[in-house]
Amino acid sequence: MIRLTARLVPATTGPAHVIIHAGDAEPCGVLTMAPDAAAELVARIEAGELGPTVVTPEAAAHVLHHLGETGGIEPCPVERHLVAMLFAADREHTLRIATVYPAYAVAVMIATHQEGGIRILQDAARQALVPVGQGGGA
């Protein structure tokens, strides 16, 4: 799984920047916001208050499916709409969605903003043992 971390770049005047990292790779996104909001976001991410801050195999596979890439697994209708909404969302709405669905938001950020992001998601998706609806079982 890929862990999400954030670093605050304070500004002496005006907005601050939050640099988002996925795993140990280069930054996958930079958010610009009010200094107090930026500090709070970084603190909440680092404290784990926003829920899991990793890309799950399922989120990675669903994002790959949306992009038509190898390793994708078709999501249920709700998750399909969630992924499409994240690809269409502006920064503010992406942050709002990320408070509830962090794994999906990070997966979309990796796919769209990180060099080699598709490969990273394919590696994460391979960790899924049995895709939903495609396994044996009870």
Side-chain angles (χ1 to χ4, degrees):
M1 294 203 205
I2 301 167
R3 179 167 164 37
L4 176 68
T5 58
R7 182 171 58 90
L8 176 63
V9 180
T12 54
T13 61
H17 302 286
V18 177
I19 300 174
I20 307 292
H21 291 266
D24 296 328
E26 293 297 313
C28 62
V30 177
L31 303 170
T32 302
M33 56 184 42
D36 56 338
E40 180 182 348
L41 177 64
V42 170
R44 291 181 70 193
I45 288 172
E46 294 302 320
E49 291 179 18
L50 298 180
T53 55
V54 295
V55 174
T56 62
E58 293 77 17
H62 294 162
V63 168
L64 290 169
H65 181 271
H66 177 83
L67 296 171
E69 295 286 345
T70 303
I73 298 172
E74 185 173 359
C76 75
V78 171
E79 291 162 335
R80 184 175 63 243
H81 290 295
L82 171 64
V83 171
M85 185 171 38
L86 280 163
F87 273 101
D90 60 18
R91 282 187 196 165
E92 180 182 344
H93 288 95
T94 298
L95 282 175
R96 288 180 183 183
I97 296 166
T99 61
V100 181
Y101 298 102
Y104 283 89
V106 173
V108 169
M109 288 174 61
I110 290 170
T112 57
H113 298 295
Q114 186 164 337
E115 187 173 330
I118 300 301
R119 180 190 45 77
I120 291 168
L121 292 178
Q122 288 168 332
D123 291 345
R126 279 191 206 102
Q127 295 178 24
L129 298 178
V130 179
V132 174
Q134 296 184 14

